[in-house]
Amino acid sequence: MTLSAWWGRFQNHDRLALARLITWAAQGQQVAELWQRLKERPDSGPPARVIAFTGSGGVGKSTLVGRMLESFRAKGRRVAILACDPESPLTGGALLGDRLRMPAAADDEVYIRSLATPGGHEAVPEHLDLIVALVAAFGFEIILLETVGAGQGDTAARHLVDLLVLLVQPETGDDIQWEKAGLLEVADVVVVHKADMPGADRTLAQVQSLLHLPGCRDVPVMRVSSQTREGIDALRDLLETSPTQRHPSRWTSATLLRLAQERLADDWRSRPEALAALVARVQAGALAPAAAADLLRQPAP
Amino acid sequence: MSTSPPIRIVLAKVGLDGHDRGVKVVARGLRDAGFHVIYSGLWQTPEAVIRMVADEDADFLGISLLSGAHLTLIPRIMELLRQANLEHVGVFVGGIIPESDVPRLLEMGVRRVFGPGTTIPETVEFIRQQPRSHLAPA
């Protein structure tokens, strides 16, 4: 089926079309066309609120995202979850297992999608911005993004989202660990998760002492337990009312360079023959990779 | 790594069947073969599985059944797939299925039934040989 046909079905609120267009976006196919169509689309309603959840493996991201889904649904919000898991750098395979920690009823106002992030890259998949735009255009008000939890790479999600929630858990290293991780600097909300476990208060105090230094911006720190539901609804209310952080001042040299890379890659992907010819010359040993990269920096022929 | 888009496979446990060692081994094996595997977790309803297949844009649905309820659950799943316009999804079944029931499952549209002793390469080979009609944009 053609892009136009799928787009028509997407406009008619066909979930299969949403799923297929996300597949294409995730594969880097038809990216420019999809952006174009999204731009031409009449604006419908307030923009979606995109909230990312990050933190190291085992801290309970999937479980908390599942709880937030229930909590937002209880308020009648239409909620989408984008759950990212890493792809093996060796085989390209991925085990996307986060769904099993989320409620599974076939609810029309809920969309859950697993996404693989390329091995050795960032904590979010390529073209995530397009995927988010598609999900929002489909009418989901709240988009919960679960990142891979790869540590510093997660800051890559920063410029795509309205709010970044960092999860920490009791008994995980000392204060210096968090300083090093650099994540506290970009978090809009810090959740001390598994607050039913011993040591939660100590962790809470440590995070607060790190964050509430003179001259720092005010970052809320919350005690939350997915087990006992402590703090779940309070966190939801905070996430719903916090001023959105997607602001032009958030752009940095790193995020701008990343955008430039992506746009250049998109240009070349739209000219597969020229790209393939260049690759063939490199593979044949006729052209050094660095020289080929220099050619790639010129406008595509 | 191949350049073709990765095949997406939902692996599901349906109904009152609490044994998922087998499906987890299969999930690991298919991942190592380069597929993107989405595991549903235990005790799913047929409706929830169909929604998962739709939302994940899966190419295949693998159902693990050790409960003996396959002649109740599989027809329901195949019917729901049809209703959801998901006929293009390749369905395979694994677990404890009596030989005598296999022809009936195949008649319902199941593409393959894998019994005990199936190797991972056998499953991988089966998936690689199936047509993937729906992925190209044009």
Side-chain angles (χ1 to χ4, degrees):
Chain A
M1 208 186 303
T2 62
L3 177 63
S4 292
W6 280 114
W7 185 258
R9 287 175 63 175
F10 178 84
Q11 297 276 54
N12 288 327
H13 219 72
D14 178 342
R15 291 177 79 100
L16 295 186
L18 173 63
R20 178 58 45 86
L21 296 184
I22 289 176
T23 300
W24 285 349
Q27 292 169 356
Q29 297 185 48
Q30 312 279 330
V31 171
E33 291 80 354
L34 285 169
W35 273 123
Q36 189 57 35
R37 282 171 197 262
L38 279 170
K39 266 181 216 140
E40 287 163 1
R41 202 168 175 274
D43 220 14
S44 49
R49 184 165 277 240
V50 187
I51 306 164
F53 292 78
T54 189
S56 45
V59 75
K61 293 184 292 294
S62 304
T63 308
L64 181 61
V65 166
R67 287 283 187 228
M68 295 318 295
L69 168 67
E70 291 169 349
S71 187
F72 277 114
R73 282 301 294 135
K75 281 198 85 181
R77 301 284 181 266
R78 311 188 70 223
V79 187
I81 295 177
L82 301 174
C84 304
D85 271 304
E87 192 173 79
S88 156
L90 298 178
T91 65
L95 194 47
L96 309 164
D98 293 321
R99 292 192 78 111
L100 63 95
R101 296 186 198 84
M102 296 169 187
D107 179 345
D108 282 343
E109 312 296 312
V110 171
Y111 181 81
I112 305 178
R113 176 67 178 242
S114 315
L115 297 168
T117 66
H121 285 245
E122 309 282 355
V124 295
E126 269 191 288
H127 304 298
L128 182 65
D129 47 351
L130 175 56
I131 294 170
V132 165
L134 285 166
V135 172
F138 201 78
F140 288 99
E141 300 160 297
I142 304 284
I143 300 175
L144 306 176
L145 173 73
E146 184 195 335
T147 71
V148 167
Q152 277 176 316
D154 288 28
T155 52
R158 192 62 199 86
H159 75 281
L160 298 177
V161 304
D162 294 304
L163 291 168
L164 186 76
V165 181
L166 171 67
L167 281 73
V168 297
Q169 61 182 337
E171 309 294 344
T172 43
D174 51 19
D175 349 11
I176 305 301
Q177 283 278 331
W178 292 324
E179 292 277 30
K180 242 187 340 197
L183 280 166
L184 281 176
E185 295 152 33
V186 291
D188 299 303
V189 179
V190 177
V191 165
V192 178
H193 200 211
K194 306 186 187 179
D196 52 303
M197 282 171 61
D201 285 327
R202 204 171 94 91
T203 304
L204 188 76
Q206 283 175 343
V207 174
Q208 273 168 339
S209 71
L210 278 174
L211 285 171
H212 298 161
L213 296 172
C216 289
R217 68 203 162 91
D218 188 28
V219 178
V221 184
M222 311 216 23
R223 280 179 62 116
V224 177
S225 165
S226 290
Q227 197 71 38
T228 64
R229 299 191 56 89
E230 173 192 351
I232 294 287
D233 289 343
L235 178 60
R236 174 205 62 201
D237 291 342
L238 180 73
L239 294 178
E240 200 160 43
T241 52
S242 288
T244 161
Q245 304 287 329
R246 196 160 29 175
H247 190 269
S249 67
R250 287 293 178 128
W251 284 88
T252 63
S253 54
T255 52
L256 271 179
L257 283 173
R258 206 177 115 83
L259 184 66
Q261 273 178 2
E262 282 168 7
R263 293 177 69 99
L264 185 64
D266 280 349
D267 277 357
W268 279 92
R269 283 199 197 94
S270 65
R271 293 168 183 80
E273 307 81 20
L275 185 58
L278 208 56
V279 172
R281 284 173 63 197
V282 174
Q283 289 179 344
L287 186 64
D294 281 342
L295 287 176
L296 285 174
R297 286 165 60 200
Q298 313 298 322
Chain B
M1 205 191 294
S2 74
T3 50
S4 65
I7 292 174
R8 293 173 68 85
I9 305 169
V10 167
L11 291 181
K13 292 292 297 185
V14 194
L16 293 174
D17 176 355
H19 298 278
D20 66 352
R21 173 69 72 193
V23 74
K24 282 176 174 167
V25 171
V26 174
R28 174 79 70 91
L30 295 180
R31 179 201 69 181
D32 290 345
F35 301 126
H36 285 183
V37 181
I38 298 127
Y39 173 49
S40 71
L42 291 166
W43 308 304
Q44 302 296 315
T45 62
E47 287 77 6
V49 169
I50 298 311
R51 175 51 62 86
M52 209 175 290
V53 169
D55 286 356
E56 295 285 358
D57 194 18
D59 304 289
F60 291 92
L61 167 62
I63 304 158
S64 161
L65 276 168
L66 298 96
S67 63
H70 47 278
L71 290 182
T72 311
L73 292 169
I74 300 293
R76 175 95 185 119
I77 287 170
M78 299 310 288
E79 176 54 29
L80 288 170
L81 275 176
R82 262 187 297 278
Q83 286 174 16
N85 289 321
L86 292 167
E87 291 100 332
H88 62 270
V89 176
V91 178
F92 59 97
V93 175
I96 307 296
I97 310 287
E99 284 283 330
S100 54
D101 290 343
V102 171
R104 289 177 68 184
L105 295 179
L106 296 179
E107 257 168 52
M108 291 169 200
V110 172
R111 294 203 195 160
R112 182 82 172 260
V113 178
F114 294 106
T118 305
T119 63
I120 295 290
E122 225 176 301
T123 316
V124 170
E125 200 45 38
F126 157 77
I127 291 168
R128 291 232 169 96
Q129 281 170 0
Q130 295 289 307
R132 288 171 82 206
S133 52
H134 70 278
L135 274 175

